[in-house]
Amino acid sequence: MRVIFMGTPDFAVGTLEEIIKAGHEVVLVVSQPDKAVGRSKALKYTPVKECAVAHGIEVYQPAKIRAEESVEYLRQYNADIIIVEAFGQIIPKAILDMPRFGCVNVHASLLPKYRGAAPIQWAVLNGDQVTGVTTMRMDEGLDTGDMIMKQEVIVDEDETGGSLFDKLSEVGARLCVKTMEAIENGTAVYTPQDDALATHTGKIQKEMGSIDWSKDAEVIERLVRGLNPWPSAYTRIDDKNLKIWRAKVISHEVKAAPGCILKVTKDELEVQTGNGVLALLEVQLEGKKRMTTDAFLRGYQVTEGSFLKRC
């Protein structure tokens, strides 16, 4: 099929690669505009654009995909299908109706659960044991279109937002190609979503990483994993920011006020939460590198009975 692919971050790169590998003709890649980064403010390609350029595919980067000139630009390519994955803009009806096989979205959740932004992180934050990828025929709603295919993925006990991101990216790439095959040969089944079962996720904001020590140890431990690698879970120690990269729940006891450092061992900091004790295993003090807690304690003195505070 003649394909227009719309995507922006790393998550979508694998799908673009699989579509190319499957022999489809990607006639255009649409990605968000390049962003200025670093002190030099040099423009950096989006990951999807980098992939497209490497394959010699034309790239289009409109500021607003809804603009009339954007719609007309896409129309000239006469695509059979448009694949959308983590593009970053709402697709207008004029584009949804353009290709003969419609627009298909690759979404990183088992719809109708976790519509919207950040479904990967929320699966970890909420302690889900299973998540997955859904392909769907897009409509004008936010992730409300008819489902085509699903594939489940187990969420491991030590799963982070980053590791689950990688898993779902690989699964989504393969599922997209299978979905395209079913659409092309007429065997695709379109299943409406049950709106009554829908849940919505908002964007992950940096301030979400600020640890509230009055919450349960299990909730904080999931926060640490779910917000790894960005924005990370963090706290304050001696008026300095301390990122927590890895932790484990070691008891469900309550012995002191939330945030109290109950015990300092050779390789752990044991911290009281609102319900349970959390052992910090890997941390990063502001201005320093990420390190195991035993390495941190060799260069930083922590007193039992002192408190970690919310930022």
Side-chain angles (χ1 to χ4, degrees):
M1 289 191 282
R2 287 174 59 84
V3 181
I4 290 176
F5 184 83
M6 304 177 70
T8 299
D10 288 338
F11 188 80
V13 170
T15 301
L16 177 56
E17 292 277 10
E18 285 294 316
I19 292 171
I20 295 168
K21 191 187 303 182
H24 295 287
E25 182 186 2
V26 181
V27 294
L28 181 70
V29 163
V30 185
S31 195
Q32 290 275 60
D34 298 332
K35 291 185 177 180
V37 297
R39 292 181 180 178
S40 66
K41 299 298 181 182
L43 290 178
K44 181 177 174 59
Y45 286 4
T46 70
V48 165
K49 179 179 179 178
E50 288 183 350
C51 178
V53 170
H55 285 280
I57 300 169
E58 181 187 346
V59 179
Y60 179 52
Q61 295 176 277
K64 293 183 179 180
I65 194 64
R66 304 183 71 88
E68 185 176 347
E69 59 266 29
S70 299
V71 174
E72 293 308 311
Y73 192 90
L74 267 60
R75 194 182 304 280
Q76 66 181 318
Y77 287 86
N78 298 314
D80 297 312
I81 192 169
I82 295 176
I83 302 296
V84 182
E85 184 172 17
F87 173 56
Q89 296 185 42
I90 301 296
I91 311 300
K93 188 175 188 300
I95 292 177
L96 296 176
D97 294 341
M98 192 180 294
R100 65 187 178 111
F101 291 125
C103 293
V104 171
N105 180 240
V106 182
H107 185 74
S109 81
L110 298 174
L111 288 170
K113 192 172 186 179
Y114 300 147
R115 292 174 178 172
I120 298 173
Q121 293 94 326
W122 281 106
V124 178
L125 292 171
N126 289 337
D128 293 355
Q129 295 181 332
V130 177
T131 186
V133 178
T134 305
T135 54
M136 66 174 174
R137 178 168 54 190
M138 296 177 70
D139 60 18
E140 292 183 88
L142 182 61
D143 301 327
T144 56
D146 291 348
M147 301 175 292
I148 307 172
M149 290 185 179
K150 287 185 178 183
Q151 185 169 336
E152 293 186 349
V153 171
I154 299 298
V155 181
D156 293 333
E157 289 185 1
D158 61 349
E159 200 81 69
T160 66
S163 63
L164 188 56
F165 180 102
D166 292 341
K167 280 185 183 178
L168 295 177
S169 178
E170 292 181 11
V171 168
R174 295 191 295 269
L175 191 67
C176 180
V177 170
K178 286 177 61 178
T179 299
M180 292 173 69
E181 290 173 357
I183 290 171
E184 190 173 20
N185 63 31
T187 60
V189 177
Y190 299 89
T191 306
Q193 297 186 44
D194 184 349
D195 291 340
L197 300 177
T199 56
H200 296 265
T201 63
K203 290 183 178 180
I204 297 297
Q205 306 289 347
K206 185 176 181 179
E207 55 269 22
M208 289 174 59
S210 179
I211 297 173
D212 179 355
W213 293 104
S214 68
K215 292 188 175 181
D216 289 2
E218 291 177 352
V219 172
I220 298 173
E221 190 273 336
R222 294 200 301 266
L223 184 79
V224 168
R225 290 188 289 110
L227 300 188
N228 178 347
W230 189 89
S232 78
Y234 52 89
T235 187
R236 295 284 285 177
I237 184 170
D238 300 331
D239 293 323
K240 296 180 180 180
N241 283 345
L242 184 71
K243 290 183 178 181
I244 313 301
W245 290 108
R246 192 161 53 91
K248 67 177 179 181
V249 178
I250 58 173
S251 93
H252 294 280
E253 298 176 296
V254 177
K255 303 177 181 179
C260 181
I261 299 175
L262 299 173
K263 190 174 182 181
V264 180
T265 69
K266 178 176 176 291
D267 52 9
E268 293 180 1
L269 291 176
E270 298 182 7
V271 184
Q272 180 69 63
T273 71
N275 181 20
V277 178
L278 193 70
L280 310 186
L281 307 177
E282 192 172 351
V283 299
Q284 183 177 7
L285 191 65
E286 63 177 73
K288 303 293 183 180
K289 294 181 179 179
R290 177 174 170 174
M291 63 185 71
T292 57
T293 300
D294 66 318
F296 168 71
L297 291 172
R298 286 197 293 270
Y300 194 93
Q301 186 173 358
V302 179
T303 305
E304 291 182 358
S306 61
F307 280 81
L308 298 177
K309 299 178 181 179
R310 191 166 188 181
C311 294

